[in-house]
Amino acid sequence: MTGIRLTAPAPGWAIDADVVVVGSGVAGLTTALRCAAAGLDTVVVTKARLDDGSTRWAQGGIAAALGEGDTPEQHLDDTLVAGAGLCDEEAVRTLVTEGPDAVRRLIGTGAHFDTTDSGDIALTREGGHHRRRIAHAGGDATGAEISRALVGAVREAALHTIENALVLDLLTDAEGRTAGVSLHVMGEGQHDGVGAVRAPSVVLATGGMGQVFSATTNPSVSTGDGVALALRAGAEVSDLEFVQFHPTVLFLGADSEGQQPLVSEAVRGEGAHLVDGDGVRFMLGQHELAELAPRDIVAKAITRRMHEHGTEHMYLDARHFGAQMWEQRFPTILAACRAHSIDPVTEPIPVAPAAHYASGGVRTCLRGRTTVPGLYACGEVACTGVHGANRLASNSLLEGLVFAERIAADIAGARPPRTGPAVGPDADDPAPLLAPEARTAIQRTMTRGAGVLRSADSLAAAAEELEALHREAAADTDGSKAVVPGVDAWEVTNLLLVSRVLVAAAREREETRGCHWREDRPDRDDAHGRRHLVVRIAPDRTPVVHRTETAAFGPVRPPD
């Protein structure tokens, strides 16, 4: 443990369980259902409503070798290529071999995927895939269908759920093992205010951290809370510098901030073209897959073309689909475009890259264990080594599904006993809270200095601006600028911690690799760059970056 915690009131209530799962996306709910089925008393904590996490926003689908002629080995090859030399092959092999059956079990849970006239699962292609292996639902509403099925199963199983609750910090026992979490429940209900769920196993499935940037496809709840909690608890994070910017996000104006509408890669998978203002298809000749190249390549090509033309966006042209295909295959995207006075049936869609997915996160082994005993991580908050330097399209839902099942099996097999009284970190060393209005400053700093294009100068400037915010908060020793503890202050404090660690790692990666693009170092450096950057927070709150000796992800061994 680092001894660092958020400034918050002491828990005023507590409940006991065998497992507490934080998050209600595909990773969290799958873990919870499997743990409950194994007879474990399981509590689900979620920041908003059960169906309000990142999973329901997923449009494209879930990738698995389900089609005729496709194999896990081919899926593995595509994933390794997209990961730009940093994927852990054992982790990827686990994903692609266990993935098909995991999807079938998801169908058994009640998820309905689109089918062909013959009744087979309808499959499409997305960037980086050489075969049609993306199962989808409702045309472009896959995440919503998966969320619906899992939420329904959780309610049918009568699992104990705590909604509208922001997790704060990890609780430990006298030996330093995980003993639960503290959390704050917003609004009236069965629980209210700061409390605790005491459990010997905690699973972080809190999703992403896209809100560290001004424009993102992530929902407003994606403020990196799980990564921040893990860092304060002493856990290691890895590959955090690799933030994937989705190439085709609906462009709403240069000053637009917050969650932006996504235009799924599946639109390109069905034959849409990327064009510039003159109607020229600029991806031809850039990559053998053209518009279906891996996301980092497409995002960089769009950004480069924007700079060449002095414009703020490019276009996605799918007018040749016709109205019927738009209405049947992509109804959600069609509605989002029309809500912003753009009709893709008759005009190209303005698009630009925006922050989308964290390829790195809390470092885990193949059983989901972190470097803190009893603490697990799964889904986007985790770094299993599957994604390497750039996630392959539609591998995210599959990763959440496969590794959730592995975590549940590990916890059920170990069945750690409930421990004695849970204690939090040293109450005399709380992390200084930032004022909620610092959120915009953090987001603009990160967008300007650590966005799609980065350089030594831009990252140095970002680091200094973030450290200035940290110093200002830490310098308030007399409490003259004391920030009242609350959700907004806790979120922005988490954002600052995650941003500082991300920038620290990005400054150490002096190359262009995967979704990390250094304009001052445009080449990939395999001699020195095929290494993972592992970061932890020291007790003095400074990020400590360690570079692995080889490209192997390395074992994750919690201390005894």
Side-chain angles (χ1 to χ4, degrees):
M1 298 292 289
T2 64
I4 305 170
R5 68 170 180 86
L6 287 173
T7 300
W13 53 269
I15 58 175
D16 294 300
D18 295 319
V19 185
V20 55
V21 178
V22 187
S24 61
V26 62
L29 295 187
T30 300
T31 304
L33 286 166
R34 299 293 184 268
C35 284
L40 297 167
D41 184 5
T42 305
V43 175
V44 177
V45 174
T46 187
K47 193 172 178 180
R49 299 186 307 275
L50 273 183
D51 62 352
D52 210 20
S54 294
T55 291
R56 77 181 183 94
W57 296 100
Q59 295 174 345
I62 185 167
L66 297 165
E68 183 178 353
D70 197 6
T71 64
E73 198 69 25
Q74 294 176 69
H75 190 181
L76 180 142
D77 289 342
D78 285 344
T79 300
L80 294 180
V81 169
L86 278 185
C87 294
D88 180 81
E89 187 165 339
E90 185 181 1
V92 178
R93 194 171 295 281
T94 298
L95 177 81
V96 299
T97 55
E98 297 182 10
D101 284 344
V103 172
R104 294 183 185 104
R105 285 189 288 273
L106 178 63
I107 293 171
T109 303
H112 300 293
F113 290 96
D114 296 338
T115 57
T116 64
D117 292 340
S118 61
D120 296 325
I121 296 175
L123 301 172
T124 190
R125 279 182 67 194
E126 290 185 359
H129 293 272
H130 282 80
R131 283 191 173 272
R132 286 182 170 263
R133 66 167 65 97
I134 315 300
H136 48 83
D140 58 359
T142 309
E145 171 57 19
I146 291 173
S147 180
R148 180 205 63 77
L150 292 174
V151 168
V154 164
R155 288 178 173 152
E156 183 177 350
L159 266 64
H160 187 161
T161 61
I162 303 175
E163 297 181 284
N164 301 307
L166 172 64
V167 67
L168 300 176
D169 280 304
L170 191 72
L171 303 176
T172 58
D173 62 17
E175 282 73 46
R177 276 193 55 86
T178 292
V181 292
S182 59
L183 63 156
H184 174 78
V185 181
M186 299 165 268
E188 298 179 0
Q190 183 179 357
H191 307 287
D192 198 10
V194 175
V197 179
R198 297 181 297 221
S201 298
V202 171
V203 182
L204 297 178
T206 52
M209 55 185 192
Q211 290 293 327
V212 302
F213 296 96
S214 296
T216 177
T217 62
N218 289 190
S220 61
V221 295
S222 298
T223 50
D225 307 315
V227 172
L229 176 149
L231 284 165
R232 287 193 297 271
E236 293 178 345
V237 302
S238 185
D239 301 349
L240 209 65
E241 70 272 26
F242 294 116
V243 177
Q244 186 176 82
F245 286 76
H246 198 289
T248 53
V249 176
L250 185 62
F251 181 76
L252 301 179
D255 297 327
S256 183
E257 297 181 338
Q259 185 178 9
Q260 311 289 299
L262 177 66
V263 182
S264 170
E265 204 151 300
V267 177
R268 281 175 280 138
E270 297 292 351
H273 303 146
L274 280 165
V275 299
D276 59 23
D278 298 323
V280 176
R281 284 184 65 188
F282 55 88
M283 284 304 300
L284 294 176
Q286 298 267 350
H287 189 276
E288 60 166 335
L289 297 177
E291 281 89 356
L292 286 179
R295 287 180 177 173
D296 61 310
I297 293 173
V298 180
K300 291 169 188 174
I302 290 174
T303 303
R304 187 180 296 114
R305 197 72 163 192
M306 285 161 48
H307 285 195
E308 291 172 355
H309 284 232
T311 59
E312 297 173 326
H313 62 83
M314 288 288 114
Y315 294 94
L316 188 64
D317 191 353
R319 289 175 290 179
H320 53 284
F321 284 5
Q324 183 176 5
M325 181 173 175
W326 267 110
E327 291 164 1
Q328 293 180 356
R329 181 68 178 85
F330 300 111
T332 307
I333 299 170
L334 178 63
C337 289
R338 285 177 170 171
H340 293 283
S341 302
I342 299 162
D343 189 350
V345 176
T346 60
E347 60 186 315
I349 306 168
V351 293
H356 181 59
Y357 189 88
S359 292
V362 184
R363 201 163 79 94
T364 75
C365 69
L366 296 184
R367 291 181 289 176
R369 296 182 178 186
T370 74
T371 50
V372 175
L375 179 65
Y376 295 78
C378 189
E380 189 173 356
V381 70
C383 184
T384 61
V386 159
H387 304 308
N390 179 50
R391 175 176 67 87
L392 181 66
S394 288
N395 268 356
S396 52
L397 292 175
L398 190 70
E399 183 196 31
L401 198 61
V402 167
F403 287 92
E405 294 186 341
R406 290 183 140 254
I407 287 173
D410 192 66
I411 296 173
R415 291 189 178 269
R418 296 186 186 181
T419 57
V423 297
D426 186 351
D428 294 328
D429 191 23
L433 295 179
L434 268 71
E437 51 267 27
R439 181 173 183 141
T440 300
I442 293 170
Q443 292 171 330
R444 291 178 178 173
T445 290
M446 292 296 290
T447 298
R448 186 168 54 247
V452 175
L453 281 174
R454 305 170 182 179
S455 68
D457 290 343
S458 77
L459 289 167
E464 177 52 36
E465 290 170 22
L466 295 172
E467 289 306 314
L469 288 171
H470 176 69
R471 288 194 301 269
E472 182 180 354
D476 185 31
T477 55
D478 61 0
S480 60
K481 299 179 182 178
V483 176
V484 177
V487 173
D488 291 342
W490 290 322
E491 283 187 336
V492 74
T493 302
N494 286 339
L495 284 174
L496 179 63
L497 175 56
V498 172
S499 296
R500 290 173 64 223
V501 171
L502 191 159
V503 170
R507 295 183 76 183
E508 290 290 323
R509 185 157 295 283
E510 296 179 326
E511 62 162 353
T512 289
R513 179 181 296 274
C515 51
H516 184 97
W517 191 8
R518 283 281 296 260
E519 58 182 334
D520 56 338
R521 293 182 178 270
D523 299 320
R524 195 163 121 176
D525 179 7
D526 280 341
H528 303 95
R530 286 197 67 200
R531 307 288 188 273
H532 298 276
L533 297 177
V534 179
V535 190
R536 60 179 177 82
I537 289 292
D540 66 357
R541 301 187 177 94
T542 58
V544 179
V545 184
H546 165 70
R547 185 184 297 266
T548 60
E549 295 181 359
T550 69
F553 196 58
V556 176
R557 295 191 181 97
D560 295 329

